[in-house]
Amino acid sequence: MPEITIDRSLRYIKGTQRVLSEEATLENAKSKLERIGVTRVAGITDLDRIGIPVITTVRPSAAEGAISVYSGKGSNENQARISAMMESYERCLAERSGLNKDIEEDISSPYFIDTFEGASARGAAVDPVSLLLSEAYTPEHLVEWTTGWDLLRNEEVAVPANAVFHPYNAPGRAAKLFRSNTNGLAAGNTPEEAILHGLLEVIERDALSIAEYNRSPGKEIILTPEDGENYELLRRFRDNEVDVRLWLLPHDTRVTTVVAATDDIKLRDAALLVMGAGAHLKPEIAVKRALTEAAQSRVVQIHGAREDTDRENFVRQIGYDRIRRMNRYWYDEGEKVAVSDIEDLSGSSPAENIGTVLQELRNVVDIAAIVDLSRKSIPIPVIRAVVPAFEMYTLDRERMGSRLRAGKKKKLSPEERPWRQRPRK
């Protein structure tokens, strides 16, 4: 594929981490919604009593195996609309040509089928094993590949197509390596925005996976009125009898990843024991993303229209008290930290931020691949970020790597276990 170059002339609007205003971004995102099959954009904020804006978009033409209802969040309605619309573009452009009912145009990168050894003979290639496989695999297996750009080594790299497209079905004799997902899929006003968002999401999921597996959420973030907008977002939960714990997750990079774990102490509903997560170089933005995503998670559970929200019946069968005990590490008090004490690594341009993220990744991994999923007919750039060896236990319990097991796992006590203990005779 063509070399991915980062435009260093782009600057953020003063006082923000955006290259365009919310209004300009919204107009840009609205321009091709019909082209990608979106038939409805609606507010669903009022389904919940919290009041933090949540918007849903509907795309009935989504490929089989993908969801057709998307959602977006933000501290105001414009942000929530942009978020939902961008997810629509991400989901649409992650569907490959032939499977996509809206876009016939294909990505610019070529495809080929070969073994890992054969792919490596052509140039740099991502070892399938490094993607934490859940299916049987040997070096003799044929794999479908496409090409991306490794930002760490500044070279073209072959990437298993299974890690790029969603949904994914392996063609012909090629092996399916794992269930596809959307980790690292991102859209933006510019390729640089999309690349940054994609890399941050991969880091967020890695940090969350490690914290969940080891039952170790890190330090508890305490907000005060000096935290402004984030404090007001937190108050919306607490004023409506929803308890929130904010956690600064430990990670091998210095990128701030925050989790907001919520507990509806009024309704005591197991399905509303939900979380939101966010990662960013600017701690305040990571906190805001976590809080607004937690609000989104609540509304999505209440709305019940997304095809991937079938946890509701399962957790309600287990019951509120037992689910909360199983996940008590998110709700117990922890060592305290203020947002002002968290290092702000953000810069004044996308190039600066991408450079900082890459420097942090360079200390941990060897490859940070970007596959361009953009189409010339669509004005919204979409990419897939693939960082081998980074965990995604939070998305797929069957895919676990060495980074999970490097931490000290806290064991469940008898009262925290989901199964009932048989009384001794």
Side-chain angles (χ1 to χ4, degrees):
M1 67 171 290
E3 177 182 355
I4 290 181
T5 56
I6 306 300
D7 186 349
R8 299 191 175 279
S9 68
L10 282 176
R11 312 298 294 180
Y12 290 131
I13 297 171
K14 187 175 181 180
T16 76
Q17 291 279 292
R18 301 189 304 267
V19 297
L20 293 179
S21 67
E22 288 178 9
E23 293 74 19
T25 301
L26 184 59
E27 288 304 310
N28 193 30
K30 286 166 58 178
S31 66
K32 293 290 183 179
L33 283 181
E34 290 185 10
R35 178 76 177 81
I36 63 169
V38 172
T39 60
R40 188 164 184 258
V41 180
I44 54 175
T45 309
D46 292 343
L47 294 177
D48 193 14
R49 65 186 190 273
I50 304 300
I52 293 173
V54 180
I55 301 291
T56 188
T57 56
V58 181
R59 181 175 164 257
S61 55
E64 184 178 353
I67 65 172
S68 60
V69 180
Y70 319 124
S71 54
K73 76 283 187 184
S75 56
N76 61 51
E77 189 166 309
N78 271 356
Q79 290 175 5
R81 285 184 178 275
I82 291 166
S83 176
M85 291 176 183
M86 288 299 185
E87 184 178 1
S88 303
Y89 285 102
E90 293 167 9
R91 296 283 187 154
C92 177
L93 271 59
E95 297 173 1
R96 65 188 313 160
S97 177
L99 192 64
N100 194 315
K101 298 175 184 176
D102 299 298
I103 309 292
E104 294 183 3
E105 182 185 356
D106 207 346
I107 66 172
S108 60
S109 297
Y111 309 97
F112 62 94
I113 295 177
D114 209 334
T115 62
F116 172 55
E117 183 180 3
S120 300
R122 299 169 181 241
V126 172
D127 186 346
V129 174
S130 70
L131 298 176
L132 316 181
L133 307 184
S134 58
E135 303 291 337
Y137 169 80
T138 69
E140 290 72 37
H141 272 100
L142 291 172
V143 173
E144 184 187 21
W145 305 83
T146 189
T147 53
W149 192 262
D150 180 4
L151 292 176
L152 293 183
R153 298 182 180 180
N154 203 31
E155 64 180 5
E156 188 175 276
V157 61
V159 181
N162 202 158
V164 175
F165 298 105
H166 177 73
Y168 180 79
N169 292 305
R173 295 179 297 146
K176 184 172 183 178
L177 304 172
F178 42 76
R179 290 191 299 269
S180 62
N181 58 48
T182 60
N183 190 33
L185 189 61
N189 283 305
T190 66
E192 291 78 9
E193 274 193 351
I195 288 168
L196 180 62
H197 293 162
L199 292 172
L200 288 173
E201 181 170 88
V202 173
I203 292 171
E204 171 197 309
R205 299 278 171 72
D206 182 66
L208 180 54
S209 294
I210 294 169
E212 281 193 313
Y213 180 81
N214 290 295
R215 303 172 59 77
S216 180
K219 296 180 179 180
E220 184 181 357
I221 300 173
I222 302 300
L223 300 185
T224 68
E226 284 69 36
D227 290 299
E229 183 181 40
N230 283 336
Y231 181 73
E232 294 305 315
L233 290 172
L234 182 66
R235 280 190 56 187
R236 291 202 191 189
F237 287 94
R238 292 182 174 167
D239 288 351
N240 285 282
E241 298 180 78
V242 177
D243 189 30
V244 179
R245 297 275 183 190
L246 285 168
W247 297 97
L248 173 64
L249 302 186
H251 198 248
D252 290 335
T253 71
R254 293 179 297 158
V255 176
T256 300
T257 299
V258 176
V259 161
T262 70
D263 177 7
D264 194 320
I265 55 180
K266 179 179 181 179
L267 297 181
R268 294 175 61 84
D269 185 344
L272 295 180
L273 287 166
V274 296
M275 301 190 307
H280 204 276
L281 295 174
K282 193 171 191 64
E284 294 89 340
I285 294 178
V287 171
K288 184 172 83 167
R289 287 183 175 178
L291 287 168
T292 54
E293 186 171 278
Q296 173 183 287
S297 296
R298 282 180 55 89
V299 176
V300 166
Q301 284 296 315
I302 296 167
H303 190 220
R306 280 179 67 130
E307 297 92 331
D308 58 350
T309 56
D310 55 358
R311 69 182 282 273
E312 180 179 355
N313 291 335
F314 172 74
V315 297
R316 282 179 174 151
Q317 286 175 2
I318 295 175
Y320 167 83
D321 289 326
R322 291 169 70 195
I323 288 289
R324 195 182 187 284
R325 284 198 303 269
M326 290 163 58
N327 297 281
R328 63 180 297 176
Y329 59 98
W330 291 118
Y331 302 104
D332 289 343
E333 288 192 20
E335 179 186 347
K336 306 298 190 291
V337 64
V339 176
S340 58
D341 293 329
I342 305 171
E343 188 175 8
D344 185 345
L345 301 174
S346 63
S348 59
S349 71
E352 284 184 58
N353 281 352
I354 291 170
T356 299
V357 170
L358 292 177
Q359 187 57 49
E360 293 298 311
L361 289 174
R362 190 171 278 112
N363 297 325
V364 186
V365 295
D366 297 323
I367 295 174
I370 302 296
V371 180
D372 188 0
L373 299 178
S374 305
R375 312 298 203 273
K376 291 181 180 178
S377 59
I378 303 298
I380 302 294
V382 173
I383 64 91
R384 171 79 84 150
V386 179
V387 180
F390 266 36
E391 302 286 351
M392 52 189 74
Y393 175 80
T394 189
L395 296 174
D396 189 338
R397 293 295 197 258
E398 295 181 352
R399 297 173 66 185
M400 296 186 289
S402 60
R403 293 172 54 70
L404 283 182
R405 300 182 179 94
K408 185 176 180 181
K409 186 174 183 179
K410 295 180 181 177
K411 294 182 179 180
L412 285 169
S413 62
E415 64 271 16
E416 291 173 313
R417 294 171 188 162
W419 54 89
R420 294 186 184 275
Q421 300 296 306
R422 292 182 180 179
R424 294 181 179 178
K425 293 183 180 180

